[in-house]
C-alpha cells in the first residue's frame, strides 16, 4: 500500500464541503441542546408535578434510547405523519434534542450548587422570580457548568458521523462517496480522521483552560 497525494488533492473539494456541514451541525446542535437543556432543567425543578413529571418522562426516554434510533425515527417515521424536514435539519434537530437531555442534568447540578444564601438574599431583596434567575442564580450556575457543557460539544462533534445514516453529507459521508467513486479508501478516511483530531483536540484544550480560569 502506498500513499497517493493526488487522491488527497482530489478529495479536498468534497472534504471542505463536509467540514462546513459538520461545523454547521455542531454549532446549531450545540445552541439547541444548551437552550432546550435549560428549559428541561427548569421544568424538572417546577413545583407543579404536572410539569415536572412529563418533562422527567420525556428526558429520561430520550436519554436512554440510542441517538441513531431517534435519528431514524425523525427521518423515516415523522414523514408518515406529515412532518418532514431535510436530512441536515433532521440531523441537527436529533443531535441537539438528544444532548439537551444531558445538558439538562448539567444545568440541574449547577443550579443545585448555588448556595442557599443566594436564594435567601434574592428573597430578602424582594427580587421578582425572573430577576432572581437571570441576575443571581443562572450566572453563578453557568460559571460552574461551562466546562461540562464544553465536553458535550466535543461529544456532539464525535457523533456527527451518525448523520451519514440518513444521507447528511458531513465529513465521513463525503469520504465514503469519494472512496466509492475512486476505490481509494485510505486517503479520504485518514484525512477525515485527522480532521476530527484537529477540531476536537484544540476544543478540549480550550475546555481545560476555561475550567482552570473558572476555578480561580
Amino acid at each position: 500500500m502506498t500513499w497517493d497525494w493526488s487522491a488527497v488533492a482530489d478529495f479536498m473539494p468534497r472534504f471542505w464541503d463536509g467540514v462546513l456541514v459538520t461545523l454547521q451541525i455542531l454549532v446549531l446542535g450545540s445552541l439547541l441542546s444548551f437552550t432546550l437543556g435549560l428549559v428541561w432543567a427548569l421544568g424538572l425543578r417546577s413545583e407543579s408535578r404536572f410539569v415536572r413529571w412529563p418533562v422527567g418522562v420525556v428526558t429520561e426516554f430520550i436519554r436512554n434510547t440510542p441517538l441513531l434510533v431517534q435519528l431514524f425515527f425523525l427521518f423515516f417515521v415523522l414523514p408518515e405523519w406529515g412532518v418532514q424536514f431535510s436530512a441536515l435539519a433532521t440531523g441537527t434537530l436529533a443531535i441537539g434534542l438528544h444532548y439537551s437531555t444531558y445538558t439538562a442534568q448539567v444545568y440541574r447540578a449547577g443550579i443545585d450548587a448555588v448556595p442557599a444564601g443566594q436564594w435567601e438574599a434574592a428573597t430578602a431583596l424582594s427580587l421578582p422570580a425572573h430577576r432572581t434567575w437571570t441576575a443571581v442564580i443562572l450566572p453563578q450556575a453557568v460559571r460552574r457548568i461551562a466546562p461540562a457543557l464544553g465536553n458535550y460539544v466535543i461529544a456532539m462533534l464525535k457523533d456527527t458521523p451518525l448523520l451519514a445514516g440518513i444521507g447528511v453529507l458531513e465529513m465521513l459521508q463525503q469520504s465514503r462517496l469519494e472512496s466509492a467513486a475512486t476505490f481509494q479508501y485510505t486517503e479520504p478516511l485518514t484525512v477525515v480522521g485527522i480532521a476530527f483530531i484537529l477540531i476536537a483536540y484544540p476544543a478540549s484544550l480550550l475546555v481545560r483552560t476555561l475550567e482552570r480560569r473558572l476555578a480561580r
Side-chain angles (χ1 to χ4, degrees):
M1 183 184 67
T2 58
W3 181 265
D4 188 353
W5 285 106
S6 64
V8 175
D10 292 340
F11 175 55
M12 281 298 102
R14 282 184 181 271
F15 169 73
W16 291 117
D17 289 342
V19 169
L20 182 61
V21 171
T22 297
L23 293 179
Q24 182 178 348
I25 295 167
L26 182 62
V27 171
L28 296 179
S30 298
L31 292 175
L32 178 60
S33 69
F34 294 164
T35 303
L36 193 54
L38 180 58
V39 174
W40 296 141
L42 296 178
L44 290 169
R45 292 182 57 87
S46 173
E47 296 179 358
S48 172
R49 63 181 180 178
F50 296 106
V51 175
R52 188 173 62 252
W53 288 4
V55 170
V57 170
V58 170
T59 55
E60 286 299 318
F61 176 80
I62 295 174
R63 191 171 54 172
N64 289 286
T65 54
L67 173 57
L68 191 59
V69 173
Q70 298 166 16
L71 189 64
F72 285 167
F73 180 86
L74 292 175
F75 191 71
F76 295 111
V77 178
L78 284 189
E80 297 182 3
W81 300 345
V83 180
Q84 187 170 6
F85 303 101
S86 66
L88 179 59
T90 302
T92 303
L93 174 62
I95 204 166
L97 180 62
H98 182 79
Y99 275 95
S100 71
T101 60
Y102 291 94
T103 60
Q105 298 303 318
V106 174
Y107 280 119
R108 284 186 68 187
I111 293 170
D112 290 341
V114 175
Q118 298 295 309
W119 295 91
E120 295 169 358
T123 302
L125 293 171
S126 300
L127 291 180
H130 73 278
R131 285 290 296 165
T132 299
W133 280 103
T134 58
V136 180
I137 304 303
L138 288 180
Q140 296 183 65
V142 170
R143 183 172 179 270
R144 290 174 167 84
I145 65 177
L149 294 178
N151 288 330
Y152 279 119
V153 172
I154 297 172
M156 277 187 270
L157 170 66
K158 293 189 292 185
D159 274 349
T160 54
L162 292 176
L163 275 58
I166 60 171
V168 176
L169 298 179
E170 43 72 57
M171 290 192 292
L172 180 63
Q173 182 72 340
Q174 291 286 12
S175 70
R176 292 174 60 187
L177 292 175
E178 181 71 16
S179 299
T182 62
F183 299 101
Q184 293 178 295
Y185 294 89
T186 301
E187 291 81 5
L189 289 174
T190 301
V191 169
V192 168
I194 293 173
F196 273 107
I197 295 173
L198 293 178
I199 296 173
Y201 185 65
S204 66
L205 292 179
L206 181 61
V207 169
R208 293 176 192 173
T209 302
L210 179 62
E211 186 172 5
R212 287 194 297 268
R213 290 179 62 88
L214 293 178
R216 295 199 295 268

